[in-house]
């Protein structure tokens, strides 16, 4: 729909143009009229018309000044001047403003229609140019997306392939990370993407493959920037699985596979937000040949999620039944799953004991002769494991996490990993990660970021410079520290230092 407005302080002129022009013939819609410049400007802001017919001399705001303002508000609008004044200065100004035509009153309908015809041809040509540009942009985006997807789905990656897509040499990169998002959420991902593009030393790519949305972050600076950025994404209403960060681009496929696994498994933990593969750690000490469903069961045990176990066991057995496995093979798969569960239980560092003395799972399983009996047997054993882990966890987590927090408090300025802190409290990293989140209410990464910012507040109030504080809390990129500080506190470090001491709250 092409929208038109008419401005003239003479009511008779407005009525004549409004009534005598066959707007439908030109496929135009008259959306409003005004008799003064102030009302005209308001009409333009509300409707953003495509064509404007305006007088020069009007009360409030003259037509030429109005056109100048229009060029800033709606630069694509085409203007036609209607005037009873033929002064040369008006003509010159109109030419400078690139108007369609300058019509001297009295104006004939034929002349107005000629101007409208001219304007419509310009609009049509402009739209065709926009379409061509969009088609070119779309084709380039498709070509780039295909190249990125090819990189993600191949094991061997050459330097030339990488540079062609990313425009950066492998030697310039400090980290490559892949994220995968649920389908139909590109709007939310685009917002997150735009945020990460503002961060120093991070290049971001967004592509789609089928129903998946894929984000690739390529770092060339401080490796903590991306993890801190992801920790700050607290208001997402979608779930994003994040693979581990790798130093070399050749490991991008590995990060991509991990991101897909994290997304699948993350649905058991939460519905929205960021779920990192390293937090789940569901590959730890387990066979690489596990199916997705087996991984889900193992993760539910690791996270003590008793609500999902029954459903997952049912799906597991339905898969076995669907594949028409023999009774012997079916029992082998179920027994394998039980022992995988026991491997997860061992992550607690405490030996697990069956409720029955001298209990041997495979001997008991051999006695069962129906799928229903096996299903009941599997569910019962997994529930026992989960109940046992819940009791143990309530005893372990407070003292272990307290010790971990004390260590973090002393070493917050260093690059301390989850694995390092887990070893301090003598725990499996994946098990410790879950306990830490339950006890503290924050993930490990978010907690360290919070501690660093709190320490920075104290140092700033002690009079230290922003550069000094940045390095002392572990951020060697001072500008990035300032951006992170403002994101966490709402103030820049400099603004925070100037606050009165009475308003200082840690």
């Amino acid at each position: 729909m092409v929208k038109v407005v008419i401005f003239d302080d003479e009511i008779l002129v407005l009525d004549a143009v409004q009534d005598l022009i066959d707007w439908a013939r030109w496929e135009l819609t008259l959306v409003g009229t005004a008799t003064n410049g102030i009302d005209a400007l308001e009409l333009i802001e509300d409707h953003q018309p495509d064509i404007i017919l305006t007088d020069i001399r009007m009360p409030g705001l003259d037509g030429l000044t109005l056109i100048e303002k229009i060029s800033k508000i709606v630069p694509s609008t085409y203007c036609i001047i209607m005037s009873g004044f033929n002064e040369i200065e008006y003509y010159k100004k109109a030419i400078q403003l690139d108007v369609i035509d300058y019509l001297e009153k009295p104006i004939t309908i034929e002349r107005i229609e000629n101007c409208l015809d001219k304007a419509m041809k310009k609009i049509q040509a402009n739209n065709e140019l926009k379409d061509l540009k969009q088609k070119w942009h779309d084709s380039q985006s498709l070509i780039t997306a295909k190249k990125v997807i090819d990189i993600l789905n191949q094991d061997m990656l050459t330097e030339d392939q990488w540079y062609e897509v990313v425009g950066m040499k492998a030697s310039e990169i400090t980290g490559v990370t892949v994220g995968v998002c649920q389908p139909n959420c590109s709007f939310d991902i685009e917002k997150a993407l735009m945020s990460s593009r503002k961060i120093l030393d991070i290049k971001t790519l967004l592509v789609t493959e089928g129903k998946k949305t894929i984000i690739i972050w390529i770092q060339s600076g401080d490796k903590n920037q991306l993890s801190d950025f992801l920790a700050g994404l607290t208001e997402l209403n979608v779930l994003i699985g994040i693979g581990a960060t790798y130093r070399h681009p050749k490991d991008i496929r590995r990060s991509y596979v991990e991101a897909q696994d994290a997304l699948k498994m993350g649905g058991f933990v939460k519905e929205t937000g960021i779920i990192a593969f390293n937090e789940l750690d569901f590959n730890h000490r387990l066979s690489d040949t596990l199916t997705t469903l087996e991984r889900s069961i193992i993760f539910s045990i690791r996270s003590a999620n008793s609500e999902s176990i029954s459903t997952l066991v049912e799906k597991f057995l339905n898969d076995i039944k669907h594949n028409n496995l023999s009774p012997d093979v079916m029992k082998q798969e179920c027994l394998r799953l039980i022992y995988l569960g026991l491997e997860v239980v061992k992550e607690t560092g405490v030996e697990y004991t069956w409720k029955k003395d001298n209990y041997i799972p495979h001997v008991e399983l051999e006695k069962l002769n129906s799928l229903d009996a096996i299903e009941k047997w599997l569910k019962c054993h997994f529930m026992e494991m989960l109940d046992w882990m819940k009791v143990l966890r309530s005893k372990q987590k407070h003292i272990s996490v307290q010790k971990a927090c004390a260590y973090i408090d002393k070493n917050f300025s260093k690059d301390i990993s989850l694995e390092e802190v887990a070893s301090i409290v003598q725990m499996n990293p994946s098990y410790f990660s879950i306990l830490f989140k339950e006890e503290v209410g924050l993930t490990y990464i978010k907690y360290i970021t919070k501690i660093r910012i709190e320490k920075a507040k104290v140092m700033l109030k002690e009079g230290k410079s922003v550069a000094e504080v940045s390095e002392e809390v572990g951020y060697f990129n001072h500008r990035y520290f300032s951006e992170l500080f403002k994101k966490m506190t709402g103030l820049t470090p400099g603004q925070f230092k100037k606050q009165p001491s009475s308003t200082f709250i840690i």
Side-chain angles (χ1 to χ4, degrees):
M1 177 180 71
V2 179
K3 295 178 287 187
V4 183
V5 290
I6 309 171
F7 308 137
D8 200 300
D9 60 349
E10 295 183 47
I11 299 296
L12 291 176
V13 173
L14 280 181
D15 291 342
V17 175
Q18 191 172 183
D19 296 337
L20 296 177
I21 296 295
D22 185 1
W23 303 105
R25 169 192 168 191
W26 304 95
E27 296 183 351
L28 300 172
T29 301
L30 184 62
V31 295
T33 63
T35 57
N36 65 79
I38 302 301
D39 290 344
L41 187 60
E42 185 176 339
L43 198 62
I44 289 165
E45 291 173 340
D46 290 343
H47 293 281
Q48 302 209 346
D50 303 285
I51 301 174
I52 294 172
L53 290 90
T54 182
D55 190 9
I56 285 186
R57 290 188 178 177
M58 292 187 296
L61 197 67
D62 68 78
L64 293 174
T65 304
L66 179 66
I67 292 173
E68 284 184 292
K69 292 184 178 292
I70 290 169
S71 65
K72 297 177 182 178
I73 300 171
V74 195
S76 61
T77 297
Y78 293 101
C79 299
I80 300 168
I81 291 178
M82 305 180 298
S83 176
F85 303 93
N86 60 359
E87 297 177 19
I88 190 65
E89 290 303 319
Y90 286 158
Y91 279 109
K92 289 180 180 179
K93 185 71 172 182
I95 291 171
Q96 290 174 358
L97 294 173
D98 196 26
V99 301
I100 290 288
D101 212 335
Y102 189 107
L103 304 179
E104 293 181 28
K105 295 178 181 178
I107 305 167
T108 66
I109 297 303
E110 182 182 1
R111 291 189 67 192
I112 294 177
E113 288 182 341
N114 287 337
C115 288
L116 291 176
D117 183 56
K118 190 187 300 185
M120 286 300 294
K121 286 178 179 177
K122 285 182 175 288
I123 289 172
Q124 184 178 0
N126 189 48
N127 288 339
E128 288 174 355
L129 180 60
K130 283 182 180 178
D131 288 342
L132 285 173
K133 286 182 178 180
Q134 186 60 49
K135 287 177 181 177
W136 183 87
H137 181 269
D138 291 344
S139 66
Q140 292 301 113
S141 297
L142 286 172
I143 292 170
T144 301
K146 186 180 183 304
K147 289 179 179 179
V148 171
I149 291 168
D150 287 345
I151 284 177
L152 293 173
N153 288 296
Q154 64 176 306
D155 293 323
M156 300 299 294
L157 179 64
T158 67
E159 176 79 20
D160 289 342
Q161 286 175 311
W162 175 259
Y163 186 81
E164 182 182 3
V165 174
V166 179
M168 297 172 64
K169 295 180 180 178
S171 58
E172 299 173 334
I173 295 166
T174 57
V176 177
T177 312
V178 180
V180 178
C181 186
Q182 295 167 327
N184 303 321
C185 55
S186 58
F187 176 75
D188 301 277
I189 292 305
E190 184 64 25
K191 289 194 294 186
L193 177 64
M194 294 307 294
S195 298
S196 64
R197 278 178 172 162
K198 296 176 183 178
I199 298 178
L200 297 172
D201 307 325
I202 293 183
K203 183 169 185 175
T204 314
L205 300 176
L206 178 69
V207 297
T208 56
E209 183 182 23
K211 294 183 178 180
K212 291 182 297 189
T213 301
I214 305 167
I215 309 174
I216 302 172
W217 288 283
I218 304 152
Q219 300 180 76
S220 58
D222 187 345
K223 64 180 181 180
N224 290 320
Q225 288 189 57
L226 181 60
S227 59
D228 288 327
F229 164 73
L230 294 175
L233 290 178
T234 57
E235 298 181 359
L236 284 175
N237 58 10
V238 295
L239 185 65
I240 308 175
I242 304 291
T245 298
Y246 292 98
R247 167 63 184 82
H248 201 282
K250 67 180 177 60
D251 292 315
I252 190 172
R253 172 167 170 74
R254 186 175 175 185
S255 183
Y256 175 48
V257 172
E258 291 171 350
Q260 293 182 91
D261 283 341
L263 181 62
K264 292 174 185 175
M265 303 300 293
F268 295 105
V269 181
K270 54 186 177 180
E271 295 180 358
T272 62
I274 297 293
I275 190 79
F277 177 82
N278 286 342
E279 290 181 22
L280 298 176
D281 198 25
F282 45 75
N283 270 331
H284 191 72
R285 296 174 62 188
L286 300 178
S287 169
D288 290 334
T289 62
L290 290 180
T291 67
T292 299
L293 192 52
E294 286 172 332
R295 290 178 186 275
S296 300
I297 293 173
I298 296 309
F299 182 72
S300 292
I301 297 172
R302 180 172 284 148
S303 58
N305 189 346
S306 55
E307 294 179 0
S308 65
I309 279 292
S310 293
T311 301
L312 291 170
V313 168
E314 289 171 9
K315 289 182 179 179
F316 177 78
L317 293 174
N318 282 337
D319 278 3
I320 288 177
K321 187 176 180 180
H322 177 74
N323 290 319
N324 199 29
L325 299 178
S326 68
D328 288 341
V329 175
M330 180 181 66
K331 288 182 179 180
Q332 288 175 14
E333 290 298 310
C334 291
L335 189 64
R336 176 172 175 266
L337 194 60
I338 282 292
Y339 279 106
L340 288 172
L342 288 173
E343 285 296 310
V344 175
V345 172
K346 287 181 182 178
E347 293 175 355
T348 63
V350 178
E351 185 178 356
Y352 176 76
T353 55
W354 300 104
K355 286 187 176 181
K356 296 180 182 179
D357 293 334
N358 302 317
Y359 185 79
I360 303 175
H362 72 269
V363 173
E364 296 298 321
L365 183 58
E366 277 300 314
K367 298 176 183 179
L368 306 178
N369 297 313
S370 71
L371 194 61
D372 288 342
I374 291 174
E375 180 180 330
K376 184 177 179 181
W377 182 82
L378 273 175
K379 287 182 178 178
C380 179
H381 282 65
F382 283 135
M383 288 301 180
E384 284 183 15
M385 290 180 192
L386 265 60
D387 290 341
W388 182 86
M389 289 186 71
K390 287 177 181 177
V391 172
L392 179 65
R393 184 173 295 181
S394 65
K395 297 176 182 178
Q396 283 184 327
K397 68 180 178 182
H398 180 70
I399 188 168
S400 298
V401 173
Q402 193 175 50
K403 182 178 179 181
C405 289
Y407 180 80
I408 293 170
D409 193 66
K410 289 182 180 179
N411 298 277
F412 65 91
S413 62
K414 301 176 183 177
D415 187 16
I416 48 175
S417 65
L418 172 68
E419 288 74 15
E420 178 182 347
V421 178
S423 68
I424 295 296
V425 295
Q426 299 180 330
M427 279 189 177
N428 173 278
S430 57
Y431 181 67
F432 168 73
S433 175
I434 292 171
L435 289 191
F436 190 93
K437 176 71 181 298
E438 286 181 354
E439 181 71 7
V440 178
L442 297 171
T443 63
Y444 174 79
I445 291 174
K446 287 183 179 179
Y447 179 79
I448 284 188
T449 301
K450 177 175 176 290
I451 290 296
R452 285 174 170 174
I453 296 302
E454 288 176 352
K455 299 290 185 182
K457 287 180 180 179
V458 175
M459 294 178 189
L460 289 168
K461 284 301 179 180
E462 290 173 348
K464 293 184 178 181
S465 70
V466 174
E468 288 176 326
V469 173
S470 176
E471 293 184 5
E472 288 189 27
V473 297
Y475 299 108
F476 293 94
N477 187 317
H478 305 160
R479 185 175 172 186
Y480 172 66
F481 163 71
S482 296
E483 291 179 355
L484 180 63
F485 189 96
K486 185 175 181 180
K487 185 175 183 179
M488 298 288 287
T489 66
L491 299 171
T492 64
Q495 290 171 337
F496 183 84
K497 285 183 71 174
K498 294 176 181 178
Q499 278 191 317
S501 298
S502 59
T503 64
F504 175 39
I505 301 175
I506 298 178

